[in-house]
């Protein structure tokens, strides 16, 4: 099984990198794990709606370049469906059982994801209505993916 996270922008904070590296190391016994960083589009603090759409479109194009046809895609979106850790684990298990061995998660930039990326996604997932920095979201998502594998393995990690 291959798990990939596509994130907009570079991960700068050392402590986020260290946390992700730790979970990536733990995940290596369950899957091939990869993080792909696509460049964020430089933009001024205040943007018109048209400028926001342009930024999102450019970032969306960069994201879509890294998604293959066979990949099952989760888009992280505030309006996505929330899941419990147990439901998420079951979903991952069922995907791998029914032929989806390449799973990709997409985390947008500060403006979110373009409609083209959301359309390509097989499902949208939400971690609640909070807005989280996309760097932190990478760490949270990586931990939840690890947690899903541990739940599926019957490990007490989840308790």
């Amino acid at each position: 099984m291959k798990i990939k996270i596509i994130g907009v922008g570079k991960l700068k904070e050392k402590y986020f990198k260290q946390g992700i590296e730790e979970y990536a190391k733990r995940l290596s016994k369950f899957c091939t794990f990869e993080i792909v960083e696509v460049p964020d589009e430089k933009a001024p603090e205040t943007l018109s709606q048209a400028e926001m759409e342009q930024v999102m479109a450019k970032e969306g194009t960069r994201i879509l370049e890294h998604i293959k046809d066979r990949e099952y895609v989760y888009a992280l979106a505030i309006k996505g469906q929330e899941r419990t850790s147990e439901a998420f684990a079951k979903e991952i298990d069922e995907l791998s059982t029914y032929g989806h061995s390449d799973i990709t998660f997409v985390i947008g930039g500060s403006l979110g994801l373009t409609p083209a990326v959301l359309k390509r996604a097989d499902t949208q997932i939400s971690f609640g209505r909070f807005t989280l920095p996309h760097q932190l979201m990478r760490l949270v998502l990586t931990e939840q993916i690890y947690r899903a594998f541990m739940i599926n393995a019957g490990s007490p990690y989840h308790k």
Side-chain angles (χ1 to χ4, degrees):
M1 170 175 266
K2 181 177 181 180
I3 303 280
K4 177 169 59 179
I5 296 174
I6 301 173
V8 174
K10 276 244 180 262
L11 195 60
K12 298 174 186 95
E13 291 82 358
K14 186 178 178 183
Y15 49 92
F16 287 144
K17 286 182 183 177
Q18 289 171 331
I20 291 169
E21 286 168 6
E22 176 60 28
Y23 286 113
K25 184 174 75 175
R26 294 179 188 189
L27 277 165
S28 67
K29 63 181 157 187
F30 300 108
C31 65
T32 302
F33 180 75
E34 173 187 17
I35 293 184
V36 175
E37 293 181 334
V38 298
D40 55 345
E41 190 63 22
K42 302 296 177 227
E45 221 28 62
T46 54
L47 297 170
S48 69
Q49 186 62 36
E51 289 170 324
M52 281 194 252
E53 288 171 10
Q54 275 185 321
V55 167
M56 287 171 50
K58 287 178 183 176
E59 291 174 349
T61 298
R62 292 175 189 148
I63 289 167
L64 291 170
E65 288 171 355
H66 293 279
I67 299 174
K68 295 179 179 57
D69 288 344
R70 72 179 183 278
E71 294 173 10
Y72 188 91
V73 178
Y74 282 87
L76 275 70
I78 289 176
K79 293 181 180 176
Q81 181 185 5
E82 292 182 37
R83 292 154 171 85
T84 63
S85 294
E86 294 86 357
F88 180 58
K90 183 178 180 192
E91 208 170 312
I92 296 293
D93 188 49
E94 287 175 354
L95 285 170
S96 64
T97 300
Y98 296 107
H100 294 286
S101 58
D102 293 341
I103 301 173
T104 297
F105 295 86
V106 179
I107 303 171
S110 59
L111 299 176
L113 293 168
T114 186
V117 174
L118 294 173
K119 185 173 188 247
R120 170 55 185 92
D122 294 285
T123 190
Q124 293 181 30
I125 188 170
S126 173
F127 283 74
R129 296 174 58 132
F130 286 109
T131 300
L132 298 173
H134 51 274
Q135 296 93 342
L136 175 59
M137 197 61 239
R138 285 189 210 176
L139 175 59
V140 171
L141 175 59
T142 304
E143 190 280 335
Q144 284 298 303
I145 294 167
Y146 175 69
R147 182 176 297 272
F149 280 103
M150 294 304 284
I151 289 169
N152 290 336
S155 167
Y157 172 82
H158 177 59
K159 302 294 177 214

